[in-house]
Amino acid sequence: MTPMPMTSMPLMEVKNLTKRFGGLAAVNDVTFAVAEGEILSVIGPNGAGKSTLFKLASSFLAATSGKVFFKGEDITSQSPHIAARKGIVRTFQETTIFRNMTALDNVVVAHHLRSRASLPGFFFGTKTAREDEGRFRESASEILDYLGLGDVKDMVASTLPHGHLRALGIAIGMAAEPQLLLLDEPFAGMNSEETAQAIRMVRGIRDRGVTIILVEHDMSAVMNISDRIVVLNFGKKIAEGTPAEIQNDEVVIEAYLGREDESEDRTCTLKP
């Protein structure tokens, strides 16, 4: 299957990326690229290597071999906070949310990657720290309003419903002003109404100029939202293409559903 041609330098390129844990190749010689403004989904059965690939792309895990390039720069060995400062932000499912803080305060805290004041400055309340805090609260409020969370910004995170918690996790990622946002199962556990709202939200983020790579098990959402899809199986890329191409790819169908005489349980299906 031929990937969509890039009209200019890709925003991110993954070249021959491999990660081994002892004798196991969790990611095995994977290559793909994402263009600026795309929504690219990475899918595959459980254990296919999706989460490991995400960690490699966002510098949370060191590669055994291969390279990751962002805007033409080799970032393979850089630390996660350096990658984040360059514009690569990875959201987690709900582990980054401070549940005893309000939604607004969660997003304010996430802005501190961009602070001008030092940690002692915030402790002693210097002028620069106060200015930073004011800017961060204004920006956090705007992000929450844009993502449809304006009405709950003053609610404690632990009281928010599941769909709002997912959106709050994305708002926290947006606080770092990403150029490339990596979303980890943004639609997991949502009902159909929540999923439809989340799809609109992700498209809205892309419309703000943010390129998106997401890992997701909800195939209906993936086929609805993706410009292109990369499919992994047992650590290897087995297909890449548009949603229509992936849905009709026999190799992909077999990887998900297996042959008739196989008893292995697959938790994902390709059809909505």
Side-chain angles (χ1 to χ4, degrees):
M1 184 175 294
T2 303
M4 185 178 74
M6 299 288 175
T7 57
S8 59
M9 178 185 293
L11 186 64
M12 174 175 276
E13 285 185 280
V14 169
K15 292 187 175 181
N16 307 111
L17 204 58
T18 297
K19 179 62 181 179
R20 294 186 179 277
F21 297 98
L24 172 67
V27 172
N28 190 358
D29 197 33
V30 171
T31 295
F32 67 89
V34 59
E36 187 172 355
E38 271 196 302
I39 297 177
L40 176 75
S41 293
V42 179
I43 67 171
N46 289 338
K50 305 182 298 295
S51 295
T52 301
L53 179 63
F54 241 40
K55 292 176 183 176
L56 294 169
S58 54
S59 298
F60 277 83
L61 195 62
T64 302
S65 61
K67 297 289 185 181
V68 178
F69 295 89
F70 183 66
K71 297 194 293 188
E73 178 186 356
D74 185 353
I75 62 163
T76 312
S77 60
Q78 295 186 353
S79 59
H81 75 277
I82 297 297
R85 287 187 182 276
K86 291 181 183 296
I88 305 167
V89 176
R90 176 189 172 199
T91 68
F92 300 84
Q93 292 186 13
E94 290 174 13
T95 56
T96 56
I97 295 172
F98 296 101
R99 290 178 173 266
N100 61 335
M101 294 172 61
T102 66
L104 180 64
D105 286 338
N106 265 278
V107 184
V108 169
V109 168
H111 278 78
H112 282 257
L113 181 69
R114 297 157 41 200
S115 63
R116 297 172 301 161
S118 64
L119 184 60
F122 280 101
F123 183 79
F124 291 108
T126 64
K127 179 182 178 182
T128 301
R130 293 195 303 271
E131 290 174 349
D132 279 350
E133 191 71 14
R135 287 190 300 108
F136 295 164
R137 295 192 79 81
E138 182 178 349
S139 175
S141 183
E142 189 274 333
I143 290 170
L144 290 169
D145 287 342
Y146 183 80
L147 296 182
L149 297 175
D151 292 341
V152 301
K153 66 178 67 174
D154 294 321
M155 290 180 61
V156 175
S158 62
T159 66
L160 296 177
H162 178 74
H164 283 133
L165 279 175
R166 289 282 176 170
L168 179 57
I170 294 174
I172 289 170
M174 290 295 291
E177 296 185 343
Q179 297 179 51
L180 177 63
L181 187 62
L182 284 72
L183 301 178
D184 185 5
E185 297 190 30
F187 314 119
M190 292 186 178
N191 60 37
S192 58
E193 182 179 342
E194 290 172 331
T195 299
Q197 183 176 354
I199 287 173
R200 290 193 295 270
M201 179 182 64
V202 173
R203 284 183 175 144
I205 292 170
R206 190 264 301 276
D207 292 343
R208 288 168 67 109
V210 180
T211 302
I212 294 168
I213 303 177
L214 62 89
V215 164
E216 182 54 59
H217 281 96
D218 185 332
M219 287 300 102
S220 178
V222 166
M223 297 302 167
N224 191 325
I225 200 172
S226 305
D227 295 310
R228 287 187 303 123
I229 299 171
V230 169
V231 187
L232 301 182
N233 194 32
F234 296 111
K236 294 187 70 69
K237 186 179 84 171
I238 61 171
E240 179 179 351
T242 65
E245 290 171 325
I246 295 301
Q247 278 184 311
N248 293 289
D249 188 293
E250 291 297 328
V251 175
V252 176
I253 293 170
E254 182 175 326
Y256 269 88
L257 303 180
R259 298 183 186 277
E260 290 184 3
D261 61 349
E262 289 179 340
S263 61
E264 182 180 1
D265 178 38
R266 299 289 190 173
T267 60
C268 303
T269 58
L270 288 175
K271 300 296 182 183

